[in-house]
Amino acid sequence: LKLASRVISHDRKRSSAAVLTPPTQVALARAGGAFVLYVTAAAVAICRESKRQTVSALDVDTALRNLNYENWIPACHAHLEYDKAHRPKHAPTLKKYRGVYQGSINAWYSQISIAGQPIHLGSFAAPEDAARAYDRAIWSKLGTAALELLNFPQDIPDAAKYLQKPNQRSDDEGVN
């Protein structure tokens, strides 16, 4: 329906186009949906013939050509470029932490994976908080095997003694 409205408003700027009634707009939207399903089914068939599972833009182009709609391909490409240029961008993440991902704009989620099974640890306001929750959980599950996986190893009190370099002496070791 949005696409039909966009085409109609664009056409009005060029000439005196007719105004579509609401039932006509609904009929156009349904026809457009049916057409999209028709082209999608053809693209999926092309993808399967190639023994792939992911439909590509080339599959859609080939489907449009096979269905004798090759004159629509340039308009599809132009719309995709327009959509890509005007799609909202996610804010870049300044720091990346192991076990942390951004869900929505203000929510950070933490999870660990044990034996291939994800264990969700919760949502947090800051990525550092989510990283610390990850550190506590992975340390409690794996112990010293988690040393290389920690985001903030200095924050885990039990990990401090394992963080020393092997050739360094601790303060309580005496010199003989």
Side-chain angles (χ1 to χ4, degrees):
L1 191 55
K2 287 183 182 179
L3 180 60
S5 299
R6 200 179 311 162
V7 169
I8 292 166
S9 67
H10 178 70
D11 197 36
R12 276 190 199 144
K13 294 175 185 173
R14 288 191 298 167
S15 66
S16 58
V19 176
L20 299 177
T21 64
T24 305
Q25 291 177 355
V26 170
L28 278 173
R30 287 184 180 159
F35 178 75
V36 167
L37 289 174
Y38 182 56
V39 173
T40 302
V44 167
I46 291 166
C47 180
R48 286 188 179 153
E49 287 171 8
S50 302
K51 297 183 179 172
R52 291 180 288 110
Q53 294 182 349
T54 305
V55 176
S56 69
L58 183 61
D59 295 330
V60 176
D61 284 356
T62 305
L64 286 170
R65 281 190 182 87
N66 291 349
L67 297 170
N68 295 321
Y69 288 103
E70 54 270 326
N71 58 336
W72 286 34
I73 294 173
C76 288
H77 285 270
H79 178 71
L80 288 174
E81 290 302 318
Y82 175 85
D83 185 56
K84 186 189 292 183
H86 291 85
R87 186 175 299 141
K89 308 285 188 280
H90 284 289
T93 305
L94 299 177
K95 279 191 164 182
K96 297 275 185 180
Y97 296 104
R98 184 184 298 266
V100 175
Y101 61 96
Q102 187 173 10
S104 62
I105 295 172
N106 293 325
W108 296 86
Y109 298 94
S110 181
Q111 75 178 25
I112 61 172
S113 182
I114 303 294
Q117 295 296 317
I119 301 171
H120 297 279
L121 304 173
S123 61
F124 302 87
E128 293 82 8
D129 296 336
R132 285 186 173 87
Y134 168 86
D135 286 356
R136 287 189 302 274
I138 202 74
W139 182 261
S140 70
K141 292 287 185 184
L142 301 179
T144 58
L147 278 174
E148 298 295 318
L149 304 175
L150 297 174
N151 294 301
F152 302 104
Q154 67 279 5
D155 289 356
I156 306 287
D158 294 340
K161 59 184 169 189
Y162 298 104
L163 292 174
Q164 289 183 325
K165 304 240 187 287
N167 57 359
Q168 288 182 339
R169 291 191 307 257
S170 64
D171 292 340
D172 55 291
E173 286 182 352
V175 179
N176 294 338

